[in-house]
Amino acid sequence: MSSPESSSQRPGLTAAKKALLEKRLRGQSAGAPRADVVTPRARRDFLPLSFSQQRLWFLEQLQPGLGFNHIHAAIRVEGDLDVPALRRTLTEILRRHESLRTNFRVADGSPVQTVAEPFEFVLPETDLRHVPPAELDAEVHRRAVEEANLSFDLASDPLFRGQLLVLGPEDHALFLTMHHIISDGWSIGVMIQELATLYEAFREARPSPLPELALQYPDYAAWQREHLSGAVLERQLSFWREKLGNPTTLELRTDRPRPPVQSFRGESHWFTVPQDRTAALHELAKRHGATLFMVGLAAFQALLARCTGQDDVVVGSPIANRTRREIEEIVGFFVNTLVLRGDLSGDPTFRELLARTREAALGAYAHQDLPFEKLVDEVQPERDLSRNPLFQVMFALQNAPGSELELPGLRLTWEPPKSGTSKFDVMLWAQERGGELDACFEYNTDLFDAPTIHRLERRYLRVLDAVLADPDVRLSELPLLGDDERELLAAWNDTAEAFDGAGDTLHALVEAQARRTPDAVAVAFEGATLTYAELDARSASLAAALREMGVGPESRVGVCMERSGELVVALLGVLKAGGAYVPLDPGYPADRLAYMTADAAVPVLLTQEALRGRLPVFGGEVVVCDTPHPPAPSPTRGEGENDTPEGEGQEALPQNWGRVASLSEPGGGPPADPDNLAYVIYTSGSTGQPKGAMNAHRGVVNRLLWMQREYGLTADDVVLQKTPFSFDVSVWEFFWPLLAGARLVLAKPD
């Protein structure tokens, strides 16, 4: 559990600063009288639950028997184990601590705790000496997982149980399991210290050397109920209201969609931070007046910010909550959860981020008496069965006392707990052992695959290395990728390829196809057709007219038309003029069309006669594209070879093009090049104000030439254009068949 570190461990502080820090870490302000101490209470048949116990009891009623609420230890014991002394030791620990003899029942509609009289600890033995040596480790592991997940009945079962496996003459496996409602991480340290002391005494036939306890957990539970009220409660609530207003949901990218109800299925991935790096992290913390916990948390929040793109990162952290010396030797469920909100805005350096993290942690430590359960009730986040309230990711640095068990004449090996569960999306847990940090990512397997978590571990270690090398590195500069990942990323992004025609514009590719197959049908709509030559000529006439109106490279031309042959002529004509078309769906509301024309700074608007009444108020020039006009000469016929009798084959051209109707090619000004804008398509606006997405010829051409290489349209193919031209899929529907010599058939509007 993360817990405030003693000021005695903080060299470089003056005596006054040490005293002040000690008070802050214990939830006391300078000059304030010490809070009332926990004192023994009269025993009753039914005792109140602490706030933490009450929440865990309630969760157990909702989803009983979940293994993540169990505390499990699997210890390999090699040597001459004195089993009777071990049994007597566990029985004495059971006698000393009332919490280990507690059950939880309902009285008058509310949960209460009842304490049983002392009884002998049951330690059944199972002989596994018949199991082949090659299979023994796997069998021990299987039984450990089974034991860890075996459910408790809170009302009737002993909530502290054990099992001893006999593996050989001097080889045993000891399983000890408790429900979290009666114990916590700090309590494990207390029990380990007592187990070592008592086992040595009983093995030598000596009496217990441990003094009797002055307090028991029910004393604390009753005191907590009385203490957290009135002004004390309001001070705590006021702090957390300010810190956690409008809590942010961390959106860590998952491998699978989040299920509607959290399953708590999980796995663990263990890794080690070596001694030299751990020592350097201690030194970094010391230089900045921080703790190892604060450095580790700041690095973790920096990693989460980079992975999510969020600068408001909320992380939970368990804290021992042993702020009063009189309760330090009691076994019970004292642990509380702090909600630590990281401010990573403004691309801070790690030095700046560590200062923010230190301030946030000290403030949270000073207000740690408020149980997480009451905090949730106060903040009232939106309840979601797929997520934990307030945070989904946890960080913990274990610094509870006496975490190593040593028994005389025995070699003990602790097996990492593997319960197959996870309370949170991701939890990063670490404990310092022998100068190293043993660390573990516990993760929800409904959301994440093992390779994803392995990458997260490697990225966390890279962040630690980066901040050790330069505490002034900015958040945006933190390296997340390894050399192998960088090489893979470079390979994925090496998309350069020399397509034939890649240096052309969209309309140049269509013009080239018109020269190859002038008489082939290019466009068909409702029984009418345009050959490639006719499409090229009419779009050229339109382009000439637009050039006369000042349209050129980077000009945006609005196109508000229904799907039709004229629409294809209009789009191609805008491109031939050098401009970029802006699709204006005639089905859009007038105010949206007005916004788009103003935002895109459209000087010319192309439309159809039937749509003129739907247009928004527009200060530029409106061109109606379906008014009769004489056709322009085909580029495939020689001069004077126009064999269309006058008055026949009359088609549509805007009525205000009279003075340029004879033009067949755009004139004046430079032509568009591949890096000029081809179109501006507006987003839906479903997440805010619509935005114009701009694309140049080069990108579109590259995409279409790749599609042609992969899928290969031919002159025999027919492509249906059905997507509204206000969506980007329409771009390839319009232009891919036209640059490949296929036939484009337009679906009837609606």
Side-chain angles (χ1 to χ4, degrees):
M1 307 298 163
S2 58
S3 65
E5 299 179 24
S6 170
S7 60
S8 63
Q9 300 171 355
R10 302 289 306 284
L13 297 181
T14 65
K17 287 183 177 180
K18 285 182 180 180
L20 176 59
L21 179 56
E22 187 74 27
K23 288 180 178 180
R24 290 191 69 182
L25 295 180
R26 292 185 174 276
Q28 302 171 9
S29 58
R34 186 183 175 205
D36 57 338
V37 297
V38 183
T39 57
R41 306 299 167 103
R43 286 292 175 267
R44 304 192 303 272
D45 290 339
F46 300 127
L47 302 166
L49 277 62
S50 69
F51 292 113
S52 298
Q53 283 181 321
Q54 183 170 308
R55 178 171 182 266
L56 207 55
W57 178 88
F58 179 73
L59 291 176
E60 189 74 21
Q61 310 314 302
L62 288 177
Q63 294 178 288
L66 291 176
F68 68 73
N69 283 329
H70 300 173
I71 299 174
H72 175 72
I75 310 167
R76 193 70 172 259
V77 184
E78 296 176 284
D80 184 16
L81 176 64
D82 188 335
V83 176
L86 177 62
R87 280 199 175 92
R88 185 180 173 191
T89 295
L90 295 170
T91 297
E92 175 62 9
I93 292 173
L94 191 66
R95 184 198 68 80
R96 286 174 55 77
H97 298 281
E98 289 184 358
S99 63
L100 301 178
R101 295 181 273 118
T102 297
N103 286 108
F104 299 84
R105 300 184 175 91
V106 176
D108 297 329
S110 299
V112 295
Q113 53 182 324
T114 60
V115 180
E117 293 298 321
F119 55 88
E120 184 177 353
F121 187 85
V122 178
L123 185 64
E125 291 185 47
T126 302
D127 194 338
L128 294 184
R129 284 176 288 188
H130 63 282
V131 176
E135 302 173 13
L136 189 58
D137 287 345
E139 178 63 15
V140 171
H141 172 72
R142 185 191 68 78
R143 288 175 178 264
V145 172
E146 184 180 80
E147 164 63 24
N149 288 285
L150 186 64
S151 63
F152 289 99
D153 184 330
L154 297 186
S156 59
D157 290 343
L159 303 184
F160 175 33
R161 66 176 181 238
Q163 184 179 164
L164 187 66
L165 305 182
V166 181
L167 312 179
E170 293 191 345
D171 192 4
H172 296 77
L174 175 64
F175 300 156
L176 296 174
T177 309
M178 293 175 286
H179 197 286
H180 207 335
I181 201 169
I182 64 168
S183 187
D184 58 18
W186 183 290
S187 298
I188 299 300
V190 172
M191 294 175 67
I192 285 174
Q193 291 176 346
E194 292 191 357
L195 196 156
T197 301
L198 291 170
Y199 176 81
E200 183 173 7
F202 294 158
R203 183 170 173 266
E204 297 173 358
R206 293 186 286 109
S208 168
L210 298 177
E212 290 297 313
L213 296 168
L215 294 171
Q216 294 288 343
Y217 187 80
D219 299 321
Y220 167 79
W223 170 86
Q224 185 193 49
R225 293 278 177 175
E226 297 172 4
H227 177 65
L228 279 176
S229 60
V232 173
L233 177 60
E234 184 53 40
R235 280 197 300 272
Q236 296 274 334
L237 289 174
S238 178
F239 171 84
W240 290 108
R241 285 193 203 105
E242 179 184 349
K243 293 297 180 183
L244 297 179
N246 300 317
T248 300
T249 299
L250 188 69
E251 297 294 349
L252 197 60
R253 186 179 297 276
T254 61
D255 293 313
R256 280 173 297 284
R258 185 179 296 275
V261 178
Q262 199 170 7
S263 73
F264 305 106
R265 286 187 286 266
E267 289 292 342
S268 299
H269 169 63
W270 292 82
F271 62 100
T272 300
V273 180
Q275 286 187 354
D276 57 345
R277 200 178 306 180
T278 301
L281 292 171
H282 273 295
E283 181 59 30
L284 176 65
K286 179 180 175 181
R287 289 199 310 270
H288 293 86
T291 65
L292 182 62
F293 169 79
M294 295 171 187
V295 171
L297 173 63
F300 189 44
Q301 289 182 313
L303 173 62
L304 294 174
R306 285 292 303 276
C307 290
T308 62
Q310 297 174 242
D311 58 19
D312 182 13
V313 177
V314 181
V315 171
S317 183
I319 190 164
N321 201 29
R322 307 271 182 151
T323 58
R324 292 161 178 81
R325 295 192 184 279
E326 63 268 22
I327 62 174
E328 289 182 351
E329 303 304 319
I330 302 174
V331 170
F333 186 26
F334 293 90
V335 66
N336 195 15
T337 301
L338 297 183
V339 184
L340 300 171
R341 192 169 192 173
D343 175 12
L344 296 100
S345 60
D347 194 21
T349 65
F350 186 76
R351 187 192 305 272
E352 294 167 340
L353 176 59
L354 182 56
R356 297 179 191 178
T357 303
R358 178 182 180 276
E359 190 65 25
L362 288 176
Y365 287 151
H367 297 85
Q368 64 178 284
D369 281 347
L370 184 70
F372 178 73
E373 299 72 32
K374 293 192 74 67
L375 175 60
V376 172
D377 290 342
E378 174 64 24
V379 176
Q380 292 187 344
E382 182 178 348
R383 295 306 177 99
D384 182 349
L385 292 178
S386 71
R387 303 175 188 267
N388 287 278
L390 296 181
F391 64 88
Q392 293 78 50
V393 173
M394 180 168 271
F395 177 82
L397 178 64
Q398 183 86 19
N399 60 359
S403 57
E404 295 293 336
L405 175 61
E406 297 181 3
L407 297 179
L410 300 174
R411 187 168 75 89
L412 306 178
T413 306
W414 289 76
E415 297 294 331
K418 296 180 180 178
S419 64
T421 63
S422 178
K423 282 187 181 181
F424 308 98
D425 291 1
V426 176
M427 177 177 181
L428 174 55
W429 179 94
Q431 182 169 15
E432 194 167 3
R433 298 179 191 269
E436 296 181 335
L437 280 176
D438 283 344
C440 172
F441 273 108
E442 184 182 277
Y443 61 97
N444 188 306
T445 51
D446 281 346
L447 302 177
F448 300 102
D449 294 327
T452 300
I453 300 302
H454 295 177
R455 284 195 299 272
L456 197 63
E457 172 234 320
R458 293 193 295 271
R459 290 174 180 179
Y460 184 61
L461 294 179
R462 290 187 193 107
V463 170
L464 293 180
D465 284 342
V467 303
L468 287 174
D470 180 12
D472 290 314
V473 62
R474 293 200 173 274
L475 179 64
S476 61
E477 299 168 346
L478 290 173
L480 299 187
L481 304 182
D483 292 341
D484 56 338
E485 291 173 309
R486 290 183 184 279
E487 291 174 5
L488 186 60
L489 189 64
W492 282 348
N493 283 279
D494 185 12
T495 58
E497 189 157 357
F499 290 113
D500 289 339
D504 288 328
T505 57
L506 268 175
H507 53 280
L509 293 175
V510 179
E511 289 168 353
Q513 184 60 44
R515 289 192 293 271
R516 288 192 293 270
T517 58
D519 298 321
V521 174
V523 178
F525 175 72
E526 291 294 284
T529 61
L530 285 173
T531 65
Y532 273 90
E534 290 169 336
L535 173 64
D536 186 56
R538 294 179 187 182
S539 59
S541 294
L542 173 56
L546 292 175
R547 278 300 187 102
E548 287 289 315
M549 298 175 191
V551 173
E554 301 301 311
S555 298
R556 291 90 180 269
V557 177
V559 180
C560 185
M561 300 175 69
E562 296 279 11
R563 194 181 293 113
S564 61
E566 289 91 354
L567 174 60
V568 182
V569 171
L571 299 183
L572 194 56
V574 172
L575 297 179
K576 281 176 174 283
Y581 69 85
V582 181
L584 302 170
D585 193 318
Y588 284 169
D591 57 350
R592 181 183 175 97
L593 295 176
Y595 165 77
M596 292 163 65
T597 55
D599 186 66
V602 169
V604 179
L605 179 58
L606 307 183
T607 189
Q608 293 159 313
E609 185 65 37
L611 298 178
R612 296 187 69 173
R614 301 190 204 175
L615 298 180
V617 175
F618 178 64
E621 183 146 12
V622 177
V623 177
V624 180
C625 295
D626 53 358
T627 302
H629 73 287
S634 169
T636 62
R637 298 182 176 126
E639 186 175 351
E641 294 182 2
N642 186 352
D643 57 1
T644 303
E646 186 174 350
E648 294 184 14
Q650 305 299 305
E651 296 293 344
L653 198 69
Q655 57 189 7
N656 50 352
W657 289 357
R659 61 190 181 86
V660 292
S662 61
L663 296 176
S664 61
E665 292 293 340
D673 64 41
D675 293 316
N676 283 133
L677 203 58
Y679 60 79
V680 180
I681 292 180
Y682 275 77
T683 61
S684 67
S686 58
T687 58
Q689 189 77 281
K691 300 175 182 63
M694 303 186 292
N695 210 345
H697 286 264
R698 189 182 301 277
V700 183
V701 166
N702 189 66
R703 162 76 176 186
L704 295 182
L705 292 178
W706 171 81
M707 292 178 72
Q708 178 61 11
R709 185 191 69 183
E710 293 296 316
Y711 303 109
L713 288 180
T714 70
D716 295 327
D717 287 313
V718 179
V719 176
L720 178 67
Q721 201 291 304
K722 63 189 184 308
T723 305
F725 76 136
S726 54
F727 290 89
D728 56 2
V729 173
S730 68
V731 176
W732 71 257
E733 288 185 348
F734 279 117
F735 295 103
W736 181 21
L738 294 180
L739 63 83
R743 180 181 300 194
L744 175 64
V745 177
L746 295 113
K748 185 178 179 180
D750 303 320

mmCIF file of all heavy atoms in Angstrom, residues 346-364:
data_model
loop_
_atom_site.group_PDB
_atom_site.id
_atom_site.type_symbol
_atom_site.label_atom_id
_atom_site.label_comp_id
_atom_site.label_asym_id
_atom_site.label_seq_id
_atom_site.Cartn_x
_atom_site.Cartn_y
_atom_site.Cartn_z
ATOM 1 N N GLY A 346 -0.270 21.815 -20.598
ATOM 2 C CA GLY A 346 0.806 22.748 -20.928
ATOM 3 C C GLY A 346 2.127 22.098 -21.277
ATOM 4 O O GLY A 346 3.151 22.776 -21.302
ATOM 5 N N ASP A 347 2.141 20.783 -21.554
ATOM 6 C CA ASP A 347 3.376 20.078 -21.897
ATOM 7 C C ASP A 347 4.493 20.381 -20.899
ATOM 8 O O ASP A 347 5.550 20.908 -21.252
ATOM 9 C CB ASP A 347 3.823 20.458 -23.314
ATOM 10 C CG ASP A 347 4.897 19.513 -23.858
ATOM 11 O OD1 ASP A 347 5.006 18.387 -23.347
ATOM 12 O OD2 ASP A 347 5.626 19.914 -24.798
ATOM 13 N N PRO A 348 4.295 20.024 -19.620
ATOM 14 C CA PRO A 348 5.298 20.359 -18.597
ATOM 15 C C PRO A 348 6.553 19.515 -18.728
ATOM 16 O O PRO A 348 6.546 18.436 -19.338
ATOM 17 C CB PRO A 348 4.564 20.030 -17.295
ATOM 18 C CG PRO A 348 3.631 18.922 -17.664
ATOM 19 C CD PRO A 348 3.172 19.249 -19.065
ATOM 20 N N THR A 349 7.646 19.990 -18.138
ATOM 21 C CA THR A 349 8.811 19.135 -17.956
ATOM 22 C C THR A 349 8.496 18.144 -16.853
ATOM 23 O O THR A 349 7.562 18.336 -16.062
ATOM 24 C CB THR A 349 10.046 19.957 -17.565
ATOM 25 O OG1 THR A 349 9.817 20.545 -16.265
ATOM 26 C CG2 THR A 349 10.316 21.066 -18.579
ATOM 27 N N PHE A 350 9.297 17.077 -16.775
ATOM 28 C CA PHE A 350 9.041 16.113 -15.696
ATOM 29 C C PHE A 350 9.281 16.761 -14.342
ATOM 30 O O PHE A 350 8.585 16.447 -13.370
ATOM 31 C CB PHE A 350 9.920 14.878 -15.855
ATOM 32 C CG PHE A 350 9.585 13.814 -14.844
ATOM 33 C CD1 PHE A 350 8.456 13.026 -14.996
ATOM 34 C CD2 PHE A 350 10.382 13.627 -13.717
ATOM 35 C CE1 PHE A 350 8.124 12.065 -14.050
ATOM 36 C CE2 PHE A 350 10.059 12.671 -12.772
ATOM 37 C CZ PHE A 350 8.926 11.887 -12.941
ATOM 38 N N ARG A 351 10.247 17.668 -14.261
ATOM 39 C CA ARG A 351 10.493 18.371 -13.000
ATOM 40 C C ARG A 351 9.233 19.124 -12.555
ATOM 41 O O ARG A 351 8.839 19.077 -11.381
ATOM 42 C CB ARG A 351 11.660 19.346 -13.174
ATOM 43 C CG ARG A 351 12.123 20.028 -11.885
ATOM 44 C CD ARG A 351 13.074 21.172 -12.210
ATOM 45 N NE ARG A 351 14.196 20.740 -13.023
ATOM 46 C CZ ARG A 351 15.335 20.254 -12.526
ATOM 47 N NH1 ARG A 351 15.484 20.137 -11.220
ATOM 48 N NH2 ARG A 351 16.312 19.904 -13.339
ATOM 49 N N GLU A 352 8.591 19.806 -13.507
ATOM 50 C CA GLU A 352 7.356 20.530 -13.180
ATOM 51 C C GLU A 352 6.228 19.565 -12.820
ATOM 52 O O GLU A 352 5.468 19.813 -11.871
ATOM 53 C CB GLU A 352 6.941 21.395 -14.374
ATOM 54 C CG GLU A 352 7.911 22.516 -14.692
ATOM 55 C CD GLU A 352 7.649 23.159 -16.050
ATOM 56 O OE1 GLU A 352 6.977 22.514 -16.895
ATOM 57 O OE2 GLU A 352 8.124 24.281 -16.270
ATOM 58 N N LEU A 353 6.129 18.470 -13.569
ATOM 59 C CA LEU A 353 5.086 17.491 -13.290
ATOM 60 C C LEU A 353 5.279 16.867 -11.915
ATOM 61 O O LEU A 353 4.307 16.657 -11.177
ATOM 62 C CB LEU A 353 5.093 16.409 -14.363
ATOM 63 C CG LEU A 353 4.108 15.247 -14.167
ATOM 64 C CD1 LEU A 353 2.668 15.760 -14.096
ATOM 65 C CD2 LEU A 353 4.261 14.213 -15.268
ATOM 66 N N LEU A 354 6.516 16.579 -11.544
ATOM 67 C CA LEU A 354 6.783 15.983 -10.232
ATOM 68 C C LEU A 354 6.378 16.942 -9.116
ATOM 69 O O LEU A 354 5.835 16.513 -8.083
ATOM 70 C CB LEU A 354 8.265 15.617 -10.121
ATOM 71 C CG LEU A 354 8.706 14.938 -8.820
ATOM 72 C CD1 LEU A 354 7.887 13.676 -8.556
ATOM 73 C CD2 LEU A 354 10.199 14.610 -8.868
ATOM 74 N N ALA A 355 6.610 18.238 -9.317
ATOM 75 C CA ALA A 355 6.186 19.213 -8.301
ATOM 76 C C ALA A 355 4.662 19.225 -8.166
ATOM 77 O O ALA A 355 4.125 19.289 -7.049
ATOM 78 C CB ALA A 355 6.699 20.601 -8.671
ATOM 79 N N ARG A 356 3.959 19.133 -9.296
ATOM 80 C CA ARG A 356 2.492 19.087 -9.243
ATOM 81 C C ARG A 356 2.025 17.797 -8.552
ATOM 82 O O ARG A 356 1.083 17.814 -7.746
ATOM 83 C CB ARG A 356 1.907 19.138 -10.655
ATOM 84 C CG ARG A 356 2.205 20.410 -11.424
ATOM 85 C CD ARG A 356 1.581 20.328 -12.830
ATOM 86 N NE ARG A 356 2.048 21.390 -13.708
ATOM 87 C CZ ARG A 356 1.689 21.523 -14.975
ATOM 88 N NH1 ARG A 356 0.847 20.652 -15.522
ATOM 89 N NH2 ARG A 356 2.150 22.516 -15.714
ATOM 90 N N THR A 357 2.673 16.687 -8.884
ATOM 91 C CA THR A 357 2.297 15.406 -8.288
ATOM 92 C C THR A 357 2.551 15.410 -6.791
ATOM 93 O O THR A 357 1.735 14.907 -6.002
ATOM 94 C CB THR A 357 3.094 14.264 -8.954
ATOM 95 O OG1 THR A 357 2.857 14.287 -10.363
ATOM 96 C CG2 THR A 357 2.690 12.910 -8.395
ATOM 97 N N ARG A 358 3.689 15.978 -6.368
ATOM 98 C CA ARG A 358 4.011 16.061 -4.936
ATOM 99 C C ARG A 358 2.942 16.848 -4.193
ATOM 100 O O ARG A 358 2.466 16.440 -3.126
ATOM 101 C CB ARG A 358 5.373 16.722 -4.764
ATOM 102 C CG ARG A 358 5.807 16.923 -3.321
ATOM 103 C CD ARG A 358 7.164 17.635 -3.269
ATOM 104 N NE ARG A 358 7.584 17.823 -1.914
ATOM 105 C CZ ARG A 358 7.213 18.834 -1.139
ATOM 106 N NH1 ARG A 358 6.378 19.758 -1.616
ATOM 107 N NH2 ARG A 358 7.649 18.942 0.099
ATOM 108 N N GLU A 359 2.544 17.983 -4.758
ATOM 109 C CA GLU A 359 1.538 18.822 -4.102
ATOM 110 C C GLU A 359 0.199 18.090 -4.019
ATOM 111 O O GLU A 359 -0.484 18.119 -2.983
ATOM 112 C CB GLU A 359 1.377 20.126 -4.877
ATOM 113 C CG GLU A 359 0.532 21.181 -4.167
ATOM 114 C CD GLU A 359 1.169 21.675 -2.877
ATOM 115 O OE1 GLU A 359 2.412 21.595 -2.748
ATOM 116 O OE2 GLU A 359 0.406 22.120 -1.985
ATOM 117 N N ALA A 360 -0.175 17.409 -5.105
ATOM 118 C CA ALA A 360 -1.442 16.674 -5.101
ATOM 119 C C ALA A 360 -1.414 15.536 -4.096
ATOM 120 O O ALA A 360 -2.397 15.291 -3.377
ATOM 121 C CB ALA A 360 -1.726 16.129 -6.507
ATOM 122 N N ALA A 361 -0.277 14.827 -4.006
ATOM 123 C CA ALA A 361 -0.178 13.701 -3.075
ATOM 124 C C ALA A 361 -0.209 14.174 -1.628
ATOM 125 O O ALA A 361 -0.901 13.583 -0.786
ATOM 126 C CB ALA A 361 1.097 12.912 -3.357
ATOM 127 N N LEU A 362 0.521 15.235 -1.310
ATOM 128 C CA LEU A 362 0.527 15.734 0.074
ATOM 129 C C LEU A 362 -0.862 16.209 0.493
ATOM 130 O O LEU A 362 -1.297 15.972 1.629
ATOM 131 C CB LEU A 362 1.540 16.872 0.224
ATOM 132 C CG LEU A 362 3.016 16.464 0.179
ATOM 133 C CD1 LEU A 362 3.908 17.689 0.246
ATOM 134 C CD2 LEU A 362 3.349 15.508 1.311
ATOM 135 N N GLY A 363 -1.557 16.873 -0.430
ATOM 136 C CA GLY A 363 -2.917 17.299 -0.108
ATOM 137 C C GLY A 363 -3.838 16.120 0.132
ATOM 138 O O GLY A 363 -4.662 16.125 1.054
ATOM 139 N N ALA A 364 -3.687 15.075 -0.698
ATOM 140 C CA ALA A 364 -4.520 13.883 -0.522
ATOM 141 C C ALA A 364 -4.186 13.166 0.777
ATOM 142 O O ALA A 364 -5.077 12.715 1.507
ATOM 143 C CB ALA A 364 -4.331 12.946 -1.714
#
